[in-house]
Amino acid sequence: MISTAPSPSLETSLDNDDNTVRLSKRVADERPCSRREAELYIEGGFVSVDGQLVEEVGARVAPHQKVTVAEDATLLEIVPVTILLHKPAGTTQPLHLLNGDTLTRSAPGQRFLKRHITGQQELLALDAKVSGLAVFTQDFRVNRKLSDEAAKIEQEIIVEVTGQIIEGGLQQLNQINGKVSWQNETRLRFAIKNAKPGLIEKLCKEVGLKVVAMKRIRIGRISMASLPSGEWRYLQNYERF
């Protein structure tokens, strides 16, 4: 009887072959280097099997398969990364948008590794209905900055509204810890600190306005700029919140 089951993955199929060995052992034998160094090469995205990049240390390979270590392979520590995402409105699980396919081509970055997605923590999280700049990090320094100083960091938010603002309404809005100005007849710009969920809707309602949409375009000194919706980029070494 011929099996109609789907073809197993590279790792699974090789794992069932008695002739296979761990990829790290092949790398250690052929480089040569220690087993731990081989694992670091694999985790760093420097090892290919038959031309296909493999980042899983537990992968197994058959004797006939070609294992290649990139010429620029290094044993330097994989530095924790911070990711900036242009979150679309309505997205409830923005972390799921982070993968190699959604890494933007519109801004400079670095080589994508699967490890860059592991252990990412979202900071200053947006409500599902709000679009704009979302931040994820593996870096404890960025985590501490955006957590401990959250109330002090200015956020710039563009707010689409309907309705007729009451007399003196703009002045009333400007009593917050920040600055509010009109961009056009239906759009307000909030530059605000400690922007807690629901605060902007509440402030607008008090002056006769209804919020239709919100987009965060800046956190501290980091702007979303021209990052396309649904795409992300790496925070560069020289950038600071």
Side-chain angles (χ1 to χ4, degrees):
M1 179 177 178
I2 299 176
S3 173
T4 58
S7 300
S9 64
L10 170 68
E11 183 174 345
T12 302
S13 61
L14 296 178
D15 192 46
N16 293 330
D17 190 333
D18 292 340
N19 294 325
T20 64
V21 297
R22 288 178 67 89
L23 177 58
S24 56
K25 183 179 187 304
R26 276 282 298 275
V27 173
D29 291 343
E30 297 181 14
R31 184 92 181 150
C33 60
S34 71
R35 186 71 67 88
R36 179 53 187 155
E37 288 173 333
E39 291 175 350
L40 290 174
Y41 285 133
I42 297 168
E43 292 173 350
F46 296 113
V47 178
S48 298
V49 178
D50 290 342
Q52 178 182 349
L53 180 66
V54 178
E55 297 178 51
E56 292 75 24
V57 171
R60 302 182 69 86
V61 292
H64 69 273
Q65 292 188 289
K66 182 178 180 181
V67 175
T68 305
V69 181
E71 293 182 1
D72 62 345
T74 176
L75 293 173
L76 294 177
E77 178 186 3
I78 299 176
V79 179
V81 300
T82 297
I83 285 174
L84 307 176
L85 167 72
H86 183 165
K87 172 189 168 299
T91 303
T92 57
Q93 298 291 335
L95 182 62
H96 294 169
L97 295 176
L98 306 183
N99 56 64
D101 293 333
T102 54
L103 173 59
T104 190
R105 304 296 184 266
S106 65
Q110 62 191 83
R111 191 164 55 97
F112 171 73
L113 299 176
K114 293 178 182 177
R115 281 192 62 182
H116 290 162
I117 305 303
T118 304
Q120 285 286 352
Q121 180 176 351
E122 185 175 10
L123 301 171
L124 300 176
L126 294 169
D127 287 345
K129 61 186 176 183
V130 181
S131 66
L133 182 60
V135 180
F136 300 83
T137 193
Q138 300 169 329
D139 192 331
F140 78 93
R141 296 165 300 180
V142 175
N143 191 326
R144 184 172 58 189
K145 171 75 174 180
L146 295 186
S147 297
D148 294 351
E149 302 181 23
K152 302 177 183 178
I153 296 176
E154 185 175 82
Q155 301 181 44
E156 186 173 349
I157 302 170
I158 303 302
V159 183
E160 196 78 27
V161 297
T162 59
Q164 184 66 42
I165 192 169
I166 65 174
E167 184 176 353
L170 188 59
Q171 290 78 6
Q172 181 175 327
L173 289 175
N174 273 287
Q175 293 176 5
I176 63 170
N177 187 16
K179 181 174 176 58
V180 184
S181 58
W182 285 106
Q183 280 203 325
N184 59 36
E185 293 181 351
T186 62
R187 188 175 295 168
L188 287 164
R189 171 189 172 273
F190 280 74
I192 184 174
K193 296 179 181 179
N194 201 20
K196 296 180 179 179
L199 175 61
I200 289 178
E201 291 98 322
K202 176 178 179 294
L203 294 172
C204 287
K205 184 177 180 180
E206 290 174 350
V207 296
L209 299 175
K210 180 181 179 181
V211 173
V212 176
M214 290 193 292
K215 176 186 286 188
R216 181 166 65 192
I217 62 173
R218 178 174 59 83
I219 299 175
R221 289 173 286 184
I222 301 300
S223 172
M224 188 170 64
S226 59
L227 185 64
S229 179
E231 296 186 8
W232 62 273
R233 71 174 180 86
Y234 291 103
L235 183 75
Q236 301 299 297
N237 292 333
Y238 59 84
E239 295 181 300
R240 297 291 183 273
F241 286 96

